[in-house]
Amino acid sequence: MYVTRKADYAVRCVLHLSKYPEQVVSVNDIAKAMHIPKSFLAKILQRLVRKNIVMSIRGVNGGFQLSRNPKDINLLEVIEAIQGVTAANICALDSKKCRLSSTCSVHPVWVGIRKEIEKRLREWSFSRLAEAKR
Amino acid sequence: MYVTRKADYAVRCVLHLSKYPEQVVSVNDIAKAMHIPKSFLAKILQRLVRKNIVMSIRGVNGGFQLSRNPKDINLLEVIEAIQGVTAANICALDSKKCRLSSTCSVHPVWVGIRKEIEKRLREWSFSRLAEAKR
DNA sequence: CTAAAACAGGACATAATCAGTCCTGTATAG
DNA sequence: CTATACAGGACTGATTATGTCCTGTTTTAG
Ligand code: SF4
Ligand code: SF4
């Protein structure tokens, strides 16, 4: 699978925090609400903190909250914060990774797909996601 | 990575065969032309044979050739022949795989991305790829 | 001032998947 | 009847994915 559990959990987590901006939520609460293994989520949150997507408050009554307005955080950013940049096929990530890329007629297809995916993921801010009805 | 080497090799291989339809090409020749480890390619070809994308001719001067017109084989088909159906995120493959899918506002995004990717891959037949200039 | 609650970070564990290799067997042209 | 080429299964090593655990630090309530 291309999107790892780790990244998907990160998305769920940020989505949850987007529902309660201004509020401090503990790992435990997020984990329960979004069905994520607690200690795994703890590690994920560390990364989101370093990437300046969420901020942490330590000590009793501590927890996490978004470090920015949900409208300024999008899906792509959160996923890349966890996985780094990815693409469906290596050559779309870096054409040097395949010696055939300069002549391969399939290469542009993967590049196009990558662009399309990134565009779509960028279009979805967490404010938009939080509002989206299902 | 989402598209495995195996699937990418399969695509290269079919692409090569598309350049010489009607001709019988040995594993060795394909492997050399497309820079694929020979015995690995041999296994890949077995699968393509079973999926009725290529046919094999055994014995001296044997080898492989496409079992259909390149215009009737597309990228999606070859990739799925090797990897089976895939998607960027599990819920796009099967919503039952995630208990949150019925309420998750991100789920439709992945479904949309999957549809878009499959559409694009389906649009590229190997005759079109073989003609494509680079 | 101290205990309890909560995050931080590193090390570790396990399973799955990927990327290939190798060996034995079978078919066939010449 | 032998060399060439495919068929199929077993096996292997490396990497990645998915977590857990333990120790330490920060903070606040009492
Ligand atoms: S699509 Fe072409 S360029 Fe990209 S990895 Fe495959 S062979 Fe290389
Ligand atoms: S996007 Fe939503 S539905 Fe899909 S896997 Fe993640 S949480 Fe589950």
Side-chain angles (χ1 to χ4, degrees):
Chain A
M1 212 55 47
Y2 165 41
V3 172
T4 62
R5 285 309 74 208
K6 213 165 173 168
D8 189 74
Y9 291 159
V11 168
R12 292 188 204 184
C13 169
V14 173
L15 187 57
H16 185 71
L17 291 176
S18 298
K19 287 180 201 152
Y20 313 96
E22 318 298 312
Q23 224 173 297
V24 175
V25 190
S26 71
V27 176
N28 227 310
D29 291 352
I30 305 173
K32 278 180 185 157
M34 305 311 270
H35 298 95
I36 306 170
K38 182 184 160 174
S39 42
F40 197 26
L41 176 58
K43 305 254 67 171
I44 293 166
L45 277 159
Q46 284 177 25
R47 235 191 132 73
L48 293 177
V49 168
R50 271 183 244 124
K51 294 287 182 174
N52 198 36
I53 292 170
V54 308
M55 48 186 286
S56 72
I57 293 96
R58 289 170 78 145
V60 177
N61 298 325
F64 298 86
Q65 75 186 121
L66 295 184
S67 56
R68 286 181 259 151
N69 191 304
K71 81 178 181 349
D72 297 322
I73 309 171
N74 62 57
L75 275 179
L76 183 63
E77 187 184 359
V78 172
I79 291 168
E80 289 192 342
I82 302 298
Q83 305 195 340
V85 293
T86 48
N89 200 344
I90 26 168
C91 63
L93 195 58
D94 178 2
S95 41
K96 286 170 222 141
K97 290 268 173 75
C98 178
R99 55 198 299 189
L100 305 180
S101 60
S102 58
T103 54
C104 176
S105 54
V106 189
H107 177 60
V109 178
W110 293 119
V111 172
I113 285 175
R114 179 185 171 181
K115 283 186 182 153
E116 175 69 23
I117 293 179
E118 292 188 347
K119 184 189 141 225
R120 285 178 179 232
L121 293 177
R122 225 181 334 254
E123 277 169 4
W124 284 94
S125 72
F126 279 84
S127 58
R128 192 175 162 208
L129 283 170
E131 283 160 19
K133 287 214 192 65
R134 281 228 67 193
Chain B
M1 211 59 42
Y2 166 38
V3 171
T4 61
R5 285 309 74 210
K6 211 164 173 170
D8 189 73
Y9 290 160
V11 168
R12 293 187 202 186
C13 170
V14 173
L15 187 56
H16 186 72
L17 292 176
S18 298
K19 287 180 200 151
Y20 313 97
E22 318 297 312
Q23 223 173 299
V24 176
V25 189
S26 71
V27 177
N28 227 309
D29 291 352
I30 305 172
K32 279 181 183 156
M34 305 312 269
H35 297 97
I36 307 170
K38 182 183 160 174
S39 42
F40 197 26
L41 176 59
K43 304 254 66 169
I44 292 166
L45 276 158
Q46 283 178 23
R47 233 188 134 75
L48 294 176
V49 168
R50 272 183 244 124
K51 294 288 181 171
N52 199 36
I53 292 169
V54 309
M55 48 187 285
S56 72
I57 294 95
R58 290 171 77 142
V60 177
N61 299 326
F64 298 86
Q65 75 186 121
L66 293 184
S67 56
R68 286 181 260 151
N69 191 304
K71 80 175 180 355
D72 297 323
I73 309 173
N74 62 56
L75 275 179
L76 184 63
E77 188 184 358
V78 172
I79 291 168
E80 289 192 341
I82 301 298
Q83 307 195 341
V85 292
T86 48
N89 200 344
I90 27 167
C91 64
L93 195 59
D94 178 3
S95 41
K96 285 170 221 140
K97 290 265 173 76
C98 178
R99 56 198 298 192
L100 306 179
S101 62
S102 57
T103 54
C104 176
S105 54
V106 189
H107 177 60
V109 177
W110 294 119
V111 171
I113 285 174
R114 178 184 172 181
K115 282 186 183 154
E116 175 69 24
I117 293 178
E118 292 188 347
K119 183 189 143 225
R120 285 179 180 233
L121 293 178
R122 224 181 334 252
E123 277 168 5
W124 284 94
S125 72
F126 279 84
S127 59
R128 192 176 161 207
L129 283 170
E131 284 160 18
K133 285 212 194 71
R134 282 229 64 196

